Amino acid sequence: MSSWLRRIASSYDMHSYELLEHGLGQRELSDPELDLDPPRDLLEELAKRTGLDQHRVIAMTMAGWVPWLVDSLSPAPGAYETYVHQLSVLLPPKRRNIYAPQKWVPWLSVTGARRGCPDCLASSPAILLFWQLPLMASCLVHGRRLETYEGHPPDFSLWATPAHDQRPLPESLSLMDRRTWQAITTGFVDLPRYPVHASIWFRLLRTILDELTTAQGRYGRQLDDVRRVWEHCGHPFRAGLYSWQPFETLHWPVQQQLLEAAAAAMELIEAGALTALGTSAYLLRPEPDPRISDGTPRGPLTATAQEKRTLDELWKQATDALEVCIAAAKVNPVVAQPLYDFARYGCRSEESVRSLRQTFAELQIPLDFLSQTENQ
Ligand SMILES: [Zn+2]
């Protein structure tokens, strides 16, 4: 909105504050005010004068993205838990429920960095609302990183990205940004399992960012998984953070590292290379092969046919099958009981049985689905 008004004003040889005051009967409004939640009568007036649909006008502000991208623009109690803790991907649910900032709105960066694509801005002075949010790190048109600048294009801009932040764009980050862009422009994202609504995608992404920075002590058996994610993207563990902070308060170089780690985590989950015990991780995995064998071997069971399956493929098949089983066990006692019986084979002490039941509870498989004998 601030960029659009600046361009309209400049076509009349005016500054945008002059246009606001003398042309639209408003007081002077700052760029953040214009981009966040400007007065509704201004939006109505702009729609009327420009002949644009009101929805298109309001979509140039954050207010136009409630409730898809944010539940509300005013910080409400419990907002963090509702937005970030409802889903889980890398860690079992509820593992992260220790931190929740007060007065928090998702994606609203408090550092106020200005970002843009130098190639886009070389041909047009239009600044996108979504460039200003720490939600995407690249321009899809030019396949390059967004960079920080100072000043107001086109009159004045100074590219201020340090050289070490101009590293090549990893393919996983580019894919994640394509999905975010699809969410913004179409309202849906094609995930490996099935398309999800944009609001699910934004919360899924914010959940992974939270999981990647949660206190090390909360990782439990998933510590190795999380370490592998950070190694895979080549940044220090937990982006080098010593104490927990919400993503929105971090500086852009750290936020970029976290976005890269989230993209790496998604890539590893999609490839079946991470355990990812969260309840929403299945969305990132491809649909398991629905064909059910009647027991007849598909081909001659020769040694050669067996050797063709790599360990990775077999492991992926096993984790896919487990995923389907867990999903079914959550709603069906007939599946929950044999799954429990199978997992219980390895339990040799009361302690390990208790821990197994704890795992079932964390996976949201109702414990009263399990046999009464066991409960006694
Ligand atoms: Zn561009």
Side-chain angles (χ1 to χ4, degrees), residues 98 152 300 303 313:
I98 42 168
H152 293 300
E313 285 166 348

Side-chain angles (χ1 to χ4, degrees), residues 44-241:
E44 282 164 20
E45 193 60 24
L46 283 169
K48 207 158 69 188
R49 300 246 203 125
T50 56
L52 281 183
D53 183 80
Q54 270 209 35
H55 295 291
R56 265 193 81 184
V57 175
I58 196 172
M60 293 185 225
T61 73
M62 284 294 283
W65 293 88
V66 176
W68 284 20
L69 180 65
V70 296
D71 294 323
S72 158
L73 287 178
S74 37
Y80 195 82
E81 288 90 334
T82 312
Y83 197 92
V84 182
H85 287 163
Q86 273 194 43
L87 303 181
S88 57
V89 180
L90 294 171
L91 308 178
K94 303 205 171 91
R95 194 74 80 71
R96 296 164 291 133
N97 288 5
I98 42 168
Y99 300 123
Q102 305 298 310
K103 297 200 168 181
W104 171 88
V105 177
W107 308 113
L108 276 195
S109 204
V110 291
T111 55
R114 298 166 183 270
R115 277 179 295 272
C117 167
D119 290 338
C120 284
L121 284 171
S123 55
S124 148
I127 294 165
L128 306 190
L129 175 70
F130 281 90
W131 283 347
Q132 309 311 316
L133 306 181
L135 189 64
M136 295 172 69
S138 65
C139 164
L140 300 183
V141 179
H142 297 104
R144 63 175 295 169
R145 283 177 191 275
L146 300 181
E147 294 192 23
T148 44
Y149 63 86
E150 288 159 13
H152 293 300
D155 306 329
F156 173 75
S157 59
L158 179 71
W159 294 102
T161 303
H164 64 262
D165 265 356
Q166 294 170 355
R167 53 194 184 277
L169 192 64
E171 178 47 40
S172 55
L173 182 61
S174 177
L175 172 64
M176 192 174 86
D177 282 351
R178 276 202 298 279
R179 286 175 172 162
T180 303
W181 190 242
Q182 191 191 5
I184 295 164
T185 51
T186 69
F188 283 89
V189 181
D190 291 314
L191 288 187
R193 187 60 62 99
Y194 45 70
V196 296
H197 191 264
S199 57
I200 299 286
W201 170 253
F202 296 135
R203 284 154 184 80
L204 195 72
L205 176 55
R206 189 61 188 79
T207 298
I208 299 178
L209 293 169
D210 184 73
E211 291 177 319
L212 286 168
T213 48
T214 202
Q216 190 170 332
R218 308 294 289 181
Y219 286 135
R221 276 176 289 179
Q222 277 69 56
L223 179 63
D224 280 347
D225 271 3
V226 179
R227 277 195 193 286
R228 272 175 48 218
V229 171
W230 284 106
E231 277 162 21
H232 190 66
C233 72
H235 293 303
F237 181 61
R238 296 178 72 236
L241 294 172

Side-chain angles (χ1 to χ4, degrees), residues 279-307:
T279 49
S280 314
Y282 74 97
L283 290 171
L284 295 165
R285 295 192 182 111
E287 187 80 59
D289 191 344
R291 286 171 298 177
I292 294 171
S293 163
D294 61 359
T296 320
R298 281 202 189 125
L301 275 176
T302 59
T304 354
Q306 286 292 300
E307 277 161 17

